[in-house]
């Protein structure tokens, strides 16, 4: 039987020990909700997100033309320009923006000095969009040359999981890099930010 | 696990992500696409009947693209036999594979501790999926798309409830559905942290700090 006081002190001890992590989760959650509300706003989406989507489609189209998959790009649409007809629309949730805000919010929330995290954050963000381009290119090739079922598997399962694995790997790697940096305490990479 | 121990294990976690984690994820996908989605659908359908007893829900098995949870309802001016709203079961695989990956790579003291953590994960997964299914079906139920589909008049009153539900369902659709594995695992870890300490105290019969 555990007394009420002991139960309370256990919760108190947990909050004290994991204070930095709780702060991380709180900042991350609030930041993510605010960023989502902004991205999901129609006016913002039309003026800022749509051009990003079109730009990503443009890059994918150029790369596809370069590697021997002739296509036409109209806004966020990609259509094959040969006898094998295939048309694909890059939608709002296929442009990597939602994945990026999750990734960026995690870095904003991590309690380490900005000068140390900005490099990893920029590198991760760049890598994210390179992978998203790769995703669009492969989806177009799969959609054009393979069955609809294969396309659905790669669209709904494979690439989502690839992005998640990549995010997790970058995050663990960054946390490790920060933890072994000479000026940081080894056991606490999520410690309070330097003043 | 103590905080310091956890951070000391980061290199191990990185290795385990690409060995045990990735292996478990592949095994999960094989299971899921070889019919596992139907097994899970029946299980979730059963859980939904308990947790969401006020909704008329049933699971209809099929291949990974067609297996779905159906909600039967009637709309004014719609077909007399009613209509089925559907939630495709394959949408749930995205966060489930995250839970499986994290569970496989996470170091625990022994098998029992791992099993206990897995059970907490199962509980939170079912709770999240109940929320996911209900919110997506409800937004279909009260939204304009359904009315347009059956060419019936939909009186949009711009209610706060509809706006809130639509935002919440979009948050679920665009973010939570693909990342919910992390908060599910985190909740399971926190709960496990408290309950495992409690078990130790009960087993030894002594109070520990």
């Amino acid at each position: 039987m555990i007394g009420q006081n002991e139960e309370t002190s256990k919760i108190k001890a947990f909050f004290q020990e994991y204070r930095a992590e709780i702060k991380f989760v709180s900042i991350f959650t609030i930041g993510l909700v605010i960023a989502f509300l902004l991205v999901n706003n129609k006016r913002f989406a039309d003026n800022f997100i749509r051009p990003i989507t079109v730009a990503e489609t443009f890059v994918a189209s150029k790369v596809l033309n370069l590697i021997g998959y002739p296509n036409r790009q109209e806004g966020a649409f990609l259509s094959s320009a040969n006898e094998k007809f295939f048309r694909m629309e890059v939608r709002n949730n296929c442009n990597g923006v939602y994945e990026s805000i999750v990734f960026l919010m995690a870095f904003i929330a991590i309690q380490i000095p900005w000068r140390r995290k900005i490099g990893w954050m920029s590198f991760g963000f760049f890598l994210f969009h390179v992978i998203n381009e790769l995703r669009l290119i492969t989806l177009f090739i799969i959609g054009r040359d393979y069955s609809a079922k294969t396309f659905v598997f790669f669209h709904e399962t494979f690439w989502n999981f690839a992005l998640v694995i990549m995010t997790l790997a970058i995050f663990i790697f960054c946390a490790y890099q920060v933890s072994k940096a000479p000026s940081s305490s080894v056991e606490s990479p999520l410690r309070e930010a330097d003043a | 696990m103590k905080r310091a121990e956890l951070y000391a294990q980061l290199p191990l976690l990185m290795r385990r992500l690409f060995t045990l984690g990735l292996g478990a994820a592949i095994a999960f996908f094989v299971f899921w696409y070889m019919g596992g989605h139907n097994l899970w659908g029946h299980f979730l359908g059963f859980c939904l009947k308990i947790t969401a007893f006020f909704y008329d829900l049933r699971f209809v098995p099929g291949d990974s693209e067609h297996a779905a949870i159906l909600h039967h309802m009637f709309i004014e001016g719609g077909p007399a036999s009613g209509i089925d709203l559907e939630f495709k079961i394959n949408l749930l695989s995205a966060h489930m594979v995250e839970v499986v990956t994290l569970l496989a790579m996470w170091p625990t003291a022994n098998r029992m501790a791992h099993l206990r953590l897995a059970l907490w994960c199962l509980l939170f997964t079912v709770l999240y999926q109940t929320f996911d299914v209900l919110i997506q079906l409800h937004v279909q139920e009260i939204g304009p798309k359904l009315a347009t589909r059956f060419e019936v008049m939909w009186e949009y009153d711009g209610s706060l409830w509809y706006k809130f539900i639509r935002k919440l369902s979009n948050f679920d659709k665009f973010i939570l559905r693909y990342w919910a594995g992390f908060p599910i695992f985190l909740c399971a870890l926190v709960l496990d942290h408290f309950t495992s300490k409690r078990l130790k105290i009960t087993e030894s019969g002594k109070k520990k700090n």
Side-chain angles (χ1 to χ4, degrees):
Chain A
M1 186 80 185
I2 304 162
Q4 184 70 40
N5 289 344
E6 197 169 337
E7 191 73 35
T8 315
S9 69
K10 209 183 293 169
I11 294 169
K12 208 173 157 187
F14 175 81
F15 274 91
Q16 272 170 357
E17 188 178 3
Y18 289 97
R19 198 178 51 160
E21 285 76 8
I22 292 164
K23 196 174 170 187
F24 168 83
V25 172
S26 309
I27 296 172
F28 174 75
T29 310
I30 295 166
L32 188 64
V33 171
I34 294 169
F36 168 77
L37 290 174
L38 192 68
V39 171
N40 201 243
N41 177 282
K42 198 180 177 318
R43 196 177 293 170
F44 187 84
D46 289 345
N47 292 310
F48 294 98
I49 307 300
R50 174 87 184 157
I52 295 174
T53 312
V54 173
E56 294 218 351
T57 316
F58 174 79
V59 175
S61 168
K62 291 289 169 201
V63 175
L64 280 163
N65 276 324
L66 206 69
I67 60 173
Y69 288 89
N71 68 88
R72 270 191 308 273
Q73 182 232 341
E74 292 159 51
F77 284 93
L78 277 179
S79 322
S80 55
N82 58 8
E83 71 283 354
K84 273 186 180 177
F85 184 74
F86 178 71
R87 189 172 155 95
M88 178 174 102
E89 184 189 5
V90 182
R91 289 193 178 164
N92 202 11
N93 52 337
C94 303
N95 53 14
V97 169
Y98 286 106
E99 290 87 350
S100 299
I101 62 171
V102 173
F103 180 83
L104 290 178
M105 277 307 150
F107 269 91
I108 287 169
I110 194 167
Q111 300 292 298
I112 54 171
W114 275 94
R115 66 175 188 282
R116 216 181 290 160
K117 66 181 168 186
I118 196 80
W120 290 114
M121 203 169 149
S122 314
F123 171 71
F125 186 72
F126 172 74
L127 196 64
F128 232 100
H129 283 273
V130 169
I131 290 185
N132 201 53
E133 282 298 339
L134 198 63
R135 176 194 191 189
L136 297 179
I137 291 161
T138 53
L139 284 176
F140 183 85
I141 296 169
I142 291 165
R144 201 196 77 145
D145 293 349
Y146 298 90
S147 68
K149 208 171 178 176
T150 314
F151 179 84
V152 169
F153 171 76
F154 276 88
H155 181 240
E156 286 178 7
T157 307
F158 178 84
W159 278 114
N160 284 325
F161 183 63
L163 282 173
V164 166
I165 279 274
M166 196 203 84
T167 310
L168 193 57
I170 290 176
F171 206 72
I172 295 174
F173 179 73
C174 293
Y176 179 58
Q177 290 300 315
V178 170
S179 74
K180 70 174 189 179
S183 59
S184 69
S185 84
V186 174
E187 75 282 0
S188 149
L190 294 174
R191 75 196 190 287
E192 295 298 308
D194 293 354
Chain B
M1 192 186 291
K2 286 277 175 197
R3 188 167 178 264
E5 290 169 11
L6 182 66
Y7 283 117
Q9 299 211 14
L10 282 177
L12 177 72
L13 280 180
M14 190 67 155
R15 270 201 305 278
R16 282 178 158 222
L17 172 64
F18 290 104
T19 51
L20 292 174
L22 203 57
I26 292 166
F28 171 79
F29 280 136
V30 171
F31 162 76
W32 187 261
Y33 283 97
M34 298 290 279
H37 63 281
N38 281 328
L39 275 178
W40 185 261
H42 282 296
F43 171 69
L44 185 67
F46 171 73
C47 294
L48 280 166
K49 276 192 197 305
I50 300 165
T51 51
F53 58 91
F54 45 87
Y55 250 65
D56 177 14
L57 297 167
R58 70 180 197 281
F59 173 69
V60 178
D63 63 21
S64 58
E65 279 177 64
H66 297 101
I69 301 271
L70 298 184
H71 167 47
H72 194 71
M73 63 170 288
F74 296 92
I75 52 168
E76 211 177 307
S81 56
I83 51 164
D84 281 326
L85 299 181
E86 66 168 25
F87 178 92
K88 291 213 163 70
I89 205 83
N90 202 30
L91 295 171
L92 302 173
S93 66
H95 62 265
M96 284 172 79
V97 74
E98 286 163 18
V99 177
V100 169
T101 307
L102 288 165
L103 204 54
M105 65 186 262
W106 198 258
T108 45
N110 52 49
R111 280 185 187 173
M112 275 311 287
H114 217 103
L115 182 67
R116 200 173 51 231
L117 184 62
L119 288 173
W120 286 127
C121 285
L122 181 69
L123 172 75
F124 283 106
T125 303
V126 170
L127 285 178
Y128 165 67
Q129 290 184 353
T130 304
F131 161 78
D132 189 13
V133 172
L134 292 183
I135 195 89
Q136 295 304 333
L137 289 176
H138 187 58
V139 81
Q140 284 183 58
E141 196 176 358
I142 63 172
K145 282 183 187 168
L146 188 68
T148 314
R149 197 171 119 205
F150 291 99
E151 296 172 340
V152 295
M153 194 65 188
W154 183 72
E155 287 178 21
Y156 175 66
D157 57 356
S159 70
L160 199 65
W161 175 246
Y162 176 67
K163 282 179 188 167
F164 172 72
I165 287 293
R166 199 187 57 185
K167 283 279 176 206
L168 194 64
S169 77
N170 279 347
F171 185 73
D172 175 53
K173 192 170 152 187
F174 294 130
I175 294 186
L176 270 186
R177 190 176 287 164
Y178 302 107
W179 300 92
F182 295 97
I184 286 172
F185 191 73
L186 195 69
C187 290
L189 269 182
V190 172
L191 211 60
D192 186 58
H193 175 83
F194 287 111
T195 52
S196 60
K197 277 190 176 174
R198 183 181 287 187
L199 277 177
K200 269 181 202 166
I201 292 163
T202 317
E203 280 161 13
S204 65
K206 290 175 184 173
K207 289 178 181 179
K208 287 180 187 176
N209 289 327

